[in-house]
Structure formats: structure tokens, C-alpha cells
Amino acid sequence: MFENNVTRRGFVTGAAAVAGLAGLSTIAPGLAGAAPMPNDQHSPAEIEAAEAGALAMMTFQKIDGTPVYYWRSSRGNTTARNWQATDAFYNALVAWIRDLRSLSSSYGSISYIVSAGFYVNKAGQHGAGTAMDLDHVRWSGGNVTSPLDQHHASGSAALRKRYLATEAVTRRRFRYVLDGWYNADHRDHIHADFGGMPVRVLKDSEADTKFVQGTCNNFRGSGLAIDGIWGPATTSAFNGLKSALGVTGDPHTSTSVWQGMLSKIATKGFANQNI
């Protein structure tokens, strides 16, 4: 089981920027996916170097009005920080956070998010300005989801569901998403990027398969091995999940069907409900 091993550099500009708020399914499929870069938890020095070197990027401190903090050097720090990304990726971030606000509206507004990095002067999608590492989300009602605190492995079913709900929202807007089940390098953040657009759920993607397996286990008690292998047991569990959510159509080939299914998963997760 492996992700398509193609280099993940290159900028997304021009017409793609307009597509960012229109669902992102129009982003060119030619943006290739690849095996993730290990150790992509970025140091303060790397972030500072990015601030100085991102000449082709836009700079932001907030996403659609929501502050974005950095906690890797100081937990709880609320100092404003300059982040960089391409215009297209920032537009996708705006669409993402609006989805998150809507689907988690019972929690109140989103007070802030915490990231481990966007553009960083490294190879891959981070170096292209088209990636995000998500560490933490806090809502005004006091709820949090914290990949930084490994909520995917929490002893609380509610926290695991909330983690998966947040990941489901992220998968609506970004094709390549790596979570705490994917590997040890991602146990403390959710990575999202533009690789391999448009969004769909692919049986030959280890990352997609582990998300499906984790979702079926935590919402339906499916008892699947989270091994990234889409076998008969995963097929049966996924079909049961689809049926229970009332999803029609093929999420393996249709972006709109998969996005709709992800919204339903997120709604259940934020409500701490089984499926």
C-alpha cells in the first residue's frame, strides 16, 4: 500500500485561486500526490526563515478573521505570527474554516486555531505554499480538538469523534490529508495539502483507507484493523457507513458525493453521535 510517489512541488495560481471558494473540485487533477515528507513538524527557526523567504506568497495572521497561533515553542502562545501560502491555498483555507464553522456551529464561533506550519522552505507541498499542519482548534463554547495532544488516540470517544469530524471537514477541501493513524510522524498534527486534487476517497490510498477504518471503528464499532489496506472487511464496513448516512452515488469517483458524506460524518462527530 503506497501513495503515488510523484514529486509534490509546484504552485497553484491564477484560475485555481478563483476555484478555491467554489469547491476546489476544479483544481487541476495533474497536481500529483506523493509519499509524505517525514518530520514535517516545523521548528521556530524554519518558520522564521519562511517569513523572510516567501516572496511569491501572500502573508496572513488570520484565516477569514480567525487567528492562527504557533505553539511548538511556547504552549498557549497567542502572539500574532505571519504565515505564508499561495493565494489559491489561502482561498481553500477560507472555504475550509467556513465549512468548519458551519458544521460545528453548536460549539459557538472558532476562537482560534493553532498550526505547526504552512509555507516552509522545504521540498514538497509545504515548500510550494500549498500545505497546512493543524495542531489545535478551540471554539468559543470551550470545546477543543487537539491533534497536538493526540486526540485520535484519546480514551474519550467524544474526543476521538471530534478529531474525526475535524478531519472530515478538512478532507472536504484538501485531497491529501494525513492523520494520527497514518504514521508516527503525524501523531501530533493533521497534515493537509493540494496533492492529487480533486477530493475523492480512493481505495489505493493508505491515508484515505486509514481514515475510513478509523471512522467506521469509532462511529460504528466495526473492529477493523487500521492498516491502510482496503480489503473485504473495509468494503463491507464502508458500505454500511454509507447506507447508515443515507449516501447515494459513488464517493470513489464523485467529489460532490464524497464531500456530502464527509459533511454527514462531521455533523455526527461534533454531536458525539454514533452512526
Side-chain angles (χ1 to χ4, degrees):
M1 183 64 57
F2 56 90
E3 304 292 338
N4 182 24
N5 189 21
V6 180
T7 183
R8 299 198 299 146
R9 289 196 65 87
F11 293 89
V12 187
T13 55
V18 179
L21 295 178
L24 296 180
S25 60
T26 56
I27 300 292
L31 281 174
M37 299 297 294
N39 300 319
D40 63 349
Q41 301 93 333
H42 311 301
S43 69
E46 289 168 335
I47 298 293
E48 290 168 7
E51 292 176 4
L55 299 179
M57 309 288 166
M58 66 167 291
T59 300
F60 60 95
Q61 295 181 342
K62 300 178 180 180
I63 299 173
D64 197 39
T66 299
V68 185
Y69 301 133
Y70 180 77
W71 283 3
R72 292 298 174 119
S73 57
S74 178
R75 181 69 179 250
N77 183 19
T78 57
T79 303
R81 176 179 287 275
N82 290 332
W83 304 99
Q84 285 77 32
T86 65
D87 287 347
F89 194 76
Y90 180 79
N91 286 344
L93 291 169
V94 170
W96 164 74
I97 206 162
R98 290 178 181 178
D99 286 350
L100 189 59
R101 289 173 184 150
S102 176
L103 290 164
S104 64
S105 60
S106 64
Y107 290 1
S109 61
I110 299 175
S111 300
Y112 58 83
I113 69 170
V114 179
S115 176
F118 296 88
Y119 166 75
V120 178
N121 189 19
K122 290 184 174 181
Q125 294 270 328
H126 278 292
T130 54
M132 167 182 70
D133 288 342
L134 180 66
D135 276 2
H136 190 94
V137 182
R138 181 178 177 86
W139 287 267
S140 61
N143 287 309
V144 301
T145 187
S146 186
L148 184 60
D149 294 314
Q150 302 182 43
H151 277 186
H152 73 288
S154 170
S156 165
L159 288 182
R160 295 196 305 273
K161 288 188 176 84
R162 193 179 304 157
Y163 178 103
L164 284 161
T166 303
E167 182 177 354
V169 177
T170 305
R171 286 177 173 274
R172 281 181 47 80
R173 297 296 173 179
F174 304 102
R175 167 68 194 95
Y176 204 89
V177 179
L178 306 176
D179 62 19
W181 288 285
Y182 184 75
N183 63 16
D185 287 331
H186 295 86
R187 66 187 179 277
D188 62 357
H189 66 285
I190 295 174
H191 169 95
D193 70 43
F194 267 173
M197 294 293 281
V199 295
R200 295 157 297 165
V201 57
L202 302 183
K203 296 180 181 180
D204 63 353
S205 164
E206 180 180 353
D208 292 2
T209 301
K210 286 184 173 179
F211 169 72
V212 167
Q213 291 167 337
T215 298
C216 290
N217 286 355
N218 283 281
F219 286 92
R220 293 176 59 80
S222 298
L224 298 171
I226 303 181
D227 57 8
I229 300 171
W230 196 296
T234 299
T235 295
S236 177
F238 183 70
N239 288 341
L241 179 69
K242 271 185 62 183
S243 178
L245 290 171
V247 174
T248 59
D250 187 356
H252 301 297
T253 59
S254 169
T255 293
S256 61
V257 171
W258 180 227
Q259 286 179 321
M261 186 171 176
L262 289 166
S263 293
K264 292 182 176 184
I265 292 169
T267 298
K268 291 291 189 179
F270 289 126
N272 190 25
Q273 295 175 347
N274 291 327
I275 297 173

